[in-house]
């Protein structure tokens, strides 16, 4: 018995890195998996079929069921196309992991519009398009569903040199929270992962590469079990959560608001009182 027996899952960007680990584990747990990957380079240039095909072959060699899809998550036709692959190949779609992503790092002052636009398009628009296409199908079937997005500590906390990427990943945080509310009545949950793993996206980060045993400690295989849990019936009552994962450590990110302070005169704040009481306001 697998945790995902009878389920059909679509995993975007599953031709390598974290998505590949999700796909292999989901298939091992009984899901029929659509392995989507555009097959381009880490900066979003190029495309090809081999990345998705290789993972499908790996799944089949291990006795699982999978179908490849090479569509682009950031295009409407691509998002519709991957849901169609699931329905045509396996009759339905129960689970989506929005994982596809690219990087074009530059500090904000040096960024050009193309770097901004493509990164936001792939991560944020891609997550929206695939979620919408899948959720329409799920709502129509009325059998519930699971959406698992991929945010990042870069978006949740900020990261030097990644204004485009962090804006997109913070957008995915807000999107996840709102969609979790809107889809609750259909018993569709929507959560997000904020992973840290050594993949082609992060292999040149000196901080990660310098860690002893980084390959084992930060293997993308540590991320997949958390996605599996959120995709399973065990997590039917968890929605709107942003789950941090680094190695075998799991946490939950929350937006915080301080308790709130009113001005001494009971009416409006003056800039000088704001200055004077800033420590109290921000505590
Ligand atoms: P990766 O580069 O190995 O995987 C991303 C995959 O998405 C690639 O196989 C790529 O071909 C595919 N892809 C790119 N654009 C696509 C498009 N338009 N349509 C379909 N597929 C497309 O990188 P990794 O690290 O596995 O990243 C997976 C996700 O995790 C990304 O969303 C990334 O931003 C996120 N993430 C990763 C972290 C890490 O430490 N590796 C940290 C925080 C977030």
């Amino acid at each position: 018995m697998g945790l995902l027996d009878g389920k059909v899952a679509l995993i975007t960007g599953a031709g390598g890195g974290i998505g590949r680990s999700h796909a292999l584990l989901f298939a091992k747990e009984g899901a029929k998996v659509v392995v989507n990957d555009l097959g381009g380079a880490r900066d979003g240039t190029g495309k090809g079929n081999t990345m998705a095909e290789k993972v499908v072959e790996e799944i089949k060699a291990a006795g699982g069921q999978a179908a490849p899809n090479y569509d682009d998550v950031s295009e409407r036709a691509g998002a519709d196309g991957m849901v169609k692959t699931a329905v045509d190949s396996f009759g339905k779609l129960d689970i989506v992991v929005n994982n596809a992503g690219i990087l074009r790092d530059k500090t904000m002052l040096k960024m050009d519009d193309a770097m901004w636009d493509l990164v936001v398009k792939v991560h944020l628009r891609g997550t929206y398009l695939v979620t919408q296409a899948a959720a329409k199908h799920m709502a129509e079937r009325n059998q519930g569903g699971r959406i698992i997005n991929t945010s990042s500590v870069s978006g949740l906390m900020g990261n030097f040199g990644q204004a485009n990427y962090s804006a997109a990943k913070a957008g995915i945080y807000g999107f996840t929270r709102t969609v979790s509310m809107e889809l609750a009545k259909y018993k569709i949950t929507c959560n997000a992962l904020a992973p840290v793993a050594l993949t082609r996206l992060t292999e040149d980060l000196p901080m990660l590469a310098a860690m002893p045993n980084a390959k084992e400690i930060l293997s993308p295989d540590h991320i997949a079990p958390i996605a599996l849990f959120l995709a399973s019936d065990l997590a039917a009552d968890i929605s709107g959560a942003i789950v941090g994962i680094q190695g075998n450590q799991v946490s939950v990110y929350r937006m915080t608001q301080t308790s709130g302070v009113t001005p001494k005169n009971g009416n409006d704040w003056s800039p000088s009182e704001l200055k004077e009481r800033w420590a109290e306001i921000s505590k």
Side-chain angles (χ1 to χ4, degrees):
M1 276 285 286
L3 259 187
L4 302 181
D5 279 345
K7 306 282 189 198
V8 178
L10 160 65
I11 301 165
T12 71
I18 296 169
R20 172 180 165 272
S21 293
H22 292 332
L24 295 177
L25 183 62
F26 281 28
K28 193 173 161 206
E29 288 291 331
K32 294 167 186 152
V33 179
V34 175
V35 177
N36 158 267
D37 206 289
L38 184 61
R42 144 186 152 142
D43 68 354
T45 51
K47 56 181 176 178
N49 294 0
T50 39
M51 289 180 76
E53 270 161 10
K54 261 180 86 177
V55 175
V56 167
E57 287 318 312
E58 275 186 88
I59 290 173
K60 287 185 175 167
Q65 293 188 65
N69 174 279
Y70 321 109
D71 284 321
D72 182 341
V73 295
S74 69
E75 298 292 341
R76 164 74 61 193
D80 291 345
M82 52 193 88
V83 173
K84 187 172 182 312
T85 299
V87 175
D88 290 352
S89 308
F90 304 123
K92 61 170 183 162
L93 180 60
D94 303 290
I95 300 159
V96 172
V97 185
N98 285 304
N99 165 82
I102 60 165
L103 279 183
R104 290 190 176 194
D105 290 354
K106 270 277 185 266
T107 54
M108 193 275 294
L109 287 176
K110 293 182 182 151
M111 187 159 311
D112 66 37
D113 296 349
M115 288 172 158
W116 176 274
D117 289 345
L118 193 66
V119 167
V120 172
K121 185 177 180 217
V122 171
H123 287 278
L124 190 52
R125 180 176 154 87
T127 297
Y128 150 66
L129 288 177
V130 177
T131 298
Q132 191 191 54
K136 279 183 178 171
H137 165 83
M138 290 172 185
E140 215 165 89
R141 281 190 69 235
N142 204 19
Q143 302 289 312
R146 296 281 182 277
I147 313 282
I148 300 160
N149 298 326
T150 309
S151 185
S152 168
V153 64
S154 174
L156 300 165
M157 303 290 201
N159 192 28
F160 191 95
Q162 292 195 314
N164 51 0
Y165 180 74
S166 61
K169 290 304 201 186
I172 289 172
Y173 163 85
F175 179 77
T176 301
R177 298 286 309 159
T178 297
V179 169
S180 73
M181 296 165 193
E182 293 180 0
L183 297 184
K185 67 176 172 197
Y186 302 104
K187 300 200 177 344
I188 301 168
T189 65
C190 182
N191 295 289
L193 308 175
V196 177
L198 204 59
T199 67
R200 74 174 188 175
L201 276 194
T202 50
E203 65 194 357
D204 57 357
L205 287 185
M207 208 175 70
L208 298 194
M211 262 178 82
N213 302 325
K215 268 208 164 109
E216 291 76 44
I217 293 170
L218 295 180
S219 161
D221 293 345
H222 292 304
I223 313 297
I226 318 309
L228 168 66
F229 166 67
L230 292 172
S232 75
D233 290 342
L234 295 174
D237 58 346
I238 300 176
S239 199
I242 316 296
V243 186
I245 314 143
Q246 175 164 350
N248 59 9
Q249 190 182 68
V250 177
S251 57
V252 166
Y253 284 92
R254 274 193 211 107
M255 179 72 81
T256 57
Q257 182 184 24
T258 60
S259 43
V261 176
T262 49
K264 282 186 178 138
N265 70 8
N267 296 318
D268 292 322
W269 286 93
S270 67
S272 57
E273 190 183 354
L274 285 165
K275 168 76 179 162
E276 190 189 312
R277 298 179 64 198
W278 190 251
E280 192 187 341
I281 293 164
S282 55
K283 197 170 83 184

